[in-house]
């Protein structure tokens, strides 16, 4: 094979597309019920947006971005996530001046040059929301409910929902100092990767998956013990509201998440049905991002979740029932004369909203029946020379095997009758 798909990317083939439509329809449906409206931003942005928005010390910016110079020597980057783009658009289009709270959602491809494995690709798809404008815990909880509702209505079980508070720029520096003090004491036991993070991003050492790191940091101080007078009550309020909704959660003091912009609430939804890449999605509050990107101070909260991982879980469900939509009618024309007679009928029926097809390969009756079965046709219409001469067509209902003869001129009426 001369041409191959790039490493870490995947084709979605026609035989699988119904699964994607099923997820996407559910996501759009839930978003609409929660009154989030879709925002679409470009696939690429100026590189500085992500550097400033996500943070230079993060893996995403430091190691994983697809960055290139265009022919005008502008540095552009394929979007690795959406929050920075959404906030850029929010500021640039003065959305905050039109209404005090903007609730938006998105769905689309993201790009990160990671080492591919199950559930980890270089082009992957995310859906997510951003609620821009509210500082209140109820808004944090609403974003959590959006994602949980999508998962629940798609039939997912065995989810664990973890929350934490990562503090703010008032309380985090003091915590960071304490953490670094602690880490210095156990430095020799840390992995190389964690050692490298000591100066740039020490908080992330806490969510290292390396066994040695986990053991060495067992007694590390946690952010939740250092929360300030603004962050602590907010965190308590989020927990209370989750309990009010009857949502089970665990507090995970080590949950930090990879992106720098989080303040206060951070959360993650994991699935026991995934392998090592067990995070379905996550999110949190980012009260300072808007001003960091040149806008007015605007408290905001959102989440992002992966579609490929969602699909892996859905396919593993024992009672997975992703609906396949078959044809309403398959037209079997035996001979070109019959085909000429049937095509206008089929066109009229398609215009009446039924899904139909006809054989374009002039195959035998048997082959065309096979095709009708492949497309899960509910009915087939059969016309050969004999029927044509009589002005009749045979309609066969596939489920029952029942056959009736109707005048060709009445096919549309007969097939569109409820
Ligand atoms: P993040 O934007 O890193 O917080 O990721 C949010 C979610 O996007 C993750 O929980 C995954 O479901 C998905 N995700 C992130 N990176 C990848 C990737 N490289 N491949 C597939 N899914 C990803």
């Amino acid at each position: 094979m001369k041409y191959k798909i790039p490493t870490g990317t995947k084709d979605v083939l026609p035989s699988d597309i119904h699964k994607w439509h099923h997820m996407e329809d559910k996501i759009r449906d839930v978003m609409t019920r929660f009154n989030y409206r879709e925002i679409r931003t470009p696939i690429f942005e100026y590189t500085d947006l992500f550097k400033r928005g996500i943070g230079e010390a993060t893996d995403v910016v430091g190691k994983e971005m697809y960055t290139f110079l265009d022919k005008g020597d502008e540095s552009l980057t394929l979007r690795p996530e959406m929050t920075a783009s959404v906030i850029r658009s929010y500021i640039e289009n003065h959305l905050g001046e039109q209404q005090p709270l903007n609730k938006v959602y998105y769905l689309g491809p993201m790009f990160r040059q990671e080492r591919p494995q199950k559930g980890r690709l270089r082009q992957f798809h995310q859906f997510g929301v951003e609620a821009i404008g509210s500082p209140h815990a109820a808004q944090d909880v609403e974003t959590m409910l959006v994602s949980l509702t999508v998962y629940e209505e798609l039939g997912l079980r065995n989810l664990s929902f973890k929350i934490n508070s990562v503090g703010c720029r008032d309380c985090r520096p003091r915590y960071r100092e304490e953490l670094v003090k602690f880490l210095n004491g156990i430095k020799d036991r840390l992995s190389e990767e964690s050692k490298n993070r000591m100066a740039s991003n020490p908080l992330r050492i806490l969510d290292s998956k390396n066994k040695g790191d986990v053991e060495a940091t067992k007694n590390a101080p946690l952010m939740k013990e250092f929360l300030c007078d603004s962050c602590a009550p907010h965190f308590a309020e989020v927990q209370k509201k989750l309990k009010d909704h009857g949502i089970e959660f665990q507090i995970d003091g080590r949950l930090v998440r990879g992106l720098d912009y989080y303040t206060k609430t951070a959360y993650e939804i994991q699935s026991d049905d995934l392998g090592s890449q067990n995070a379905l999605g996550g999110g949190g509050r980012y009260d300072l991002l808007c001003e960091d990107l040149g806008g007015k101070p605007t408290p905001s909260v959102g989440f992002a979740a992966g579609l490929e991982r969602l699909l892996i879980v859905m396919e593993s469900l024992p009672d997975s029932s992703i609906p396949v939509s078959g044809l309403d009618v398959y037209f079997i024309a035996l001979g070109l004369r019959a085909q000429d007679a049937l095509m206008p009928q089929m066109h009229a029926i398609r215009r009446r909203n039924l899904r139909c097809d006809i054989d374009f390969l002039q195959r035998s009756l048997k082959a065309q029946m096979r095709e009708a079965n492949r497309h899960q046709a509910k009915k087939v219409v059969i016309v050969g020379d004999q029927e044509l001469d009589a002005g009749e067509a045979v309609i066969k209902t596939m489920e029952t095997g029942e056959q009736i003869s109707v005048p060709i001129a009445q096919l549309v009426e007969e097939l569109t009758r409820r």
Side-chain angles (χ1 to χ4, degrees):
M1 247 295 286
K2 190 168 172 193
Y3 298 109
K4 287 211 165 125
I5 195 166
T7 305
T9 66
K10 272 191 181 164
D11 296 314
V12 179
L13 298 175
S15 53
D16 271 340
I17 198 69
H18 65 285
K19 300 176 187 172
W20 285 81
H21 289 163
H22 182 59
M23 294 191 288
E24 290 162 3
D25 289 350
K26 177 55 76 187
I27 290 162
R28 290 183 194 287
D29 168 36
V30 171
M31 296 299 173
T32 308
R33 279 187 268 149
F34 279 77
N35 198 28
Y36 284 77
R37 286 198 289 170
E38 187 175 3
I39 185 166
R40 297 185 186 184
T41 62
I43 297 284
F44 56 84
E45 299 270 359
Y46 291 122
T47 303
D48 281 348
L49 172 70
F50 299 123
K51 283 194 179 164
R52 184 79 187 92
I54 303 173
E56 304 229 27
T58 60
D59 281 355
V60 170
V61 172
K63 299 188 201 155
E64 298 166 1
M65 293 206 303
Y66 280 99
T67 297
F68 58 98
L69 287 180
D70 73 1
K71 294 203 171 70
D73 271 348
E74 294 279 10
S75 179
L76 298 169
T77 294
L78 300 185
R79 63 186 191 195
E81 57 104 49
M82 271 292 275
T83 305
S85 304
V86 170
I87 297 301
R88 193 262 315 132
S89 175
Y90 168 86
I91 299 169
E92 196 169 352
N93 295 296
H94 311 288
L95 298 186
E97 286 159 35
Q98 293 161 27
Q99 50 187 37
L101 177 62
N102 280 266
K103 300 204 305 179
V104 300
Y105 81 90
Y106 55 82
L107 182 64
M110 309 291 154
F111 306 85
R112 297 182 195 173
Q113 191 162 0
E114 299 197 73
R115 198 168 44 76
Q117 54 175 277
K118 186 179 172 206
R120 194 154 82 182
L121 292 154
R122 293 183 170 177
Q123 174 174 328
F124 58 98
H125 295 77
Q126 283 186 336
F127 70 97
V129 303
E130 314 293 354
I132 311 164
S134 168
H136 300 297
Q139 185 66 80
D140 304 32
V141 172
E142 194 207 36
T143 66
M144 299 168 177
L145 290 172
V146 175
S147 56
L148 290 170
T149 305
V150 169
Y151 293 139
E152 197 181 290
E153 294 191 5
L154 286 172
L156 271 65
R157 304 283 176 268
N158 306 327
L159 300 181
S160 39
F161 184 48
K162 301 198 163 153
I163 64 168
N164 192 18
S165 175
V166 295
C168 65
R169 282 183 196 161
D170 286 334
C171 48
R172 200 154 50 200
R174 196 165 71 82
Y175 166 64
R176 189 180 154 131
E177 235 171 70
E178 286 297 315
L179 178 66
V180 170
K181 225 187 276 173
F182 171 86
L183 292 172
N184 272 324
I186 52 132
K187 200 169 161 186
D188 297 342
R189 294 166 58 197
L190 291 177
S191 65
E192 277 313 302
E193 195 178 8
S194 288
K195 275 188 197 135
N196 293 335
R197 283 195 168 132
M198 287 275 291
S200 61
N201 204 348
L203 269 68
R204 291 242 33 212
I205 296 176
L206 291 186
D207 73 358
S208 162
K209 300 268 185 291
N210 178 293
K211 280 211 180 81
D213 288 347
V214 175
E215 185 57 33
T217 58
K218 215 167 53 189
N219 298 318
L222 295 176
M223 182 69 235
K224 62 183 175 138
E225 294 146 16
F226 290 77
L227 297 177
C228 64
D229 291 348
S230 166
C231 293
H234 186 93
F235 191 36
E237 196 57 30
V238 168
Q239 293 171 49
K240 175 186 173 298
K241 286 180 166 29
L242 284 172
K243 284 182 193 145
D244 290 347
H245 280 89
I247 291 172
E248 277 179 38
F249 60 90
Q250 296 151 25
I251 296 172
D252 179 351
R254 289 171 166 260
L255 180 68
V256 181
R257 310 218 5 94
L259 316 172
D260 262 6
Y261 48 61
Y262 287 113
T263 49
K264 295 190 169 143
T265 314
Y267 62 93
E268 199 159 279
I269 302 172
Q270 298 173 354
S271 167
D272 300 343
D273 300 329
L274 283 167
S276 64
Q277 300 299 312
N278 66 351
L280 274 171
R285 185 160 270 289
Y286 50 94
D287 288 344
L288 305 169
L289 180 61
C290 201
E291 50 190 299
D292 281 355
L293 294 178
K296 295 197 182 114
T298 314
S300 307
V301 57
F303 77 82
L307 282 152
E308 282 80 2
R309 291 191 197 170
L310 171 56
L311 184 59
I312 294 175
V313 179
M314 285 176 58
E315 286 179 332
S316 74
L317 296 177
D319 53 353
S320 168
S321 55
I322 304 173
V324 185
S325 45
L327 287 179
D328 293 305
V329 187
Y330 192 81
F331 286 85
I332 295 184
L334 302 168
L336 287 179
R337 241 174 20 102
Q339 193 187 63
D340 285 345
L342 284 181
M343 292 248 332
Q345 304 293 329
M346 179 171 73
H347 184 61
I349 292 166
R350 283 173 166 169
R351 304 230 357 198
R352 301 276 290 266
N353 290 330
L354 292 191
R355 280 163 301 167
C356 315
D357 209 354
I358 192 164
D359 174 68
F360 288 103
L361 297 172
Q362 300 176 29
R363 285 176 289 182
S364 68
L365 174 64
K366 202 167 147 204
Q368 293 194 47
M369 272 310 259
R370 220 182 299 124
E371 195 66 20
N373 280 322
R374 194 178 1 251
H375 292 294
Q376 302 181 1
K378 293 194 193 91
K379 292 191 169 161
V380 294
V381 171
I382 308 167
V383 175
D385 283 339
Q386 215 182 329
E387 288 79 15
L388 203 56
D389 291 339
E392 298 262 302
V394 173
I395 301 177
K396 178 171 179 179
T397 304
M398 297 298 260
E399 202 181 24
T400 57
E402 178 202 359
Q403 296 200 19
I404 54 167
S405 252
V406 297
I408 292 181
Q410 281 173 27
L411 263 179
V412 177
E413 199 186 318
E414 187 63 40
L415 288 166
T416 53
R417 203 148 47 95
R418 304 242 139 222

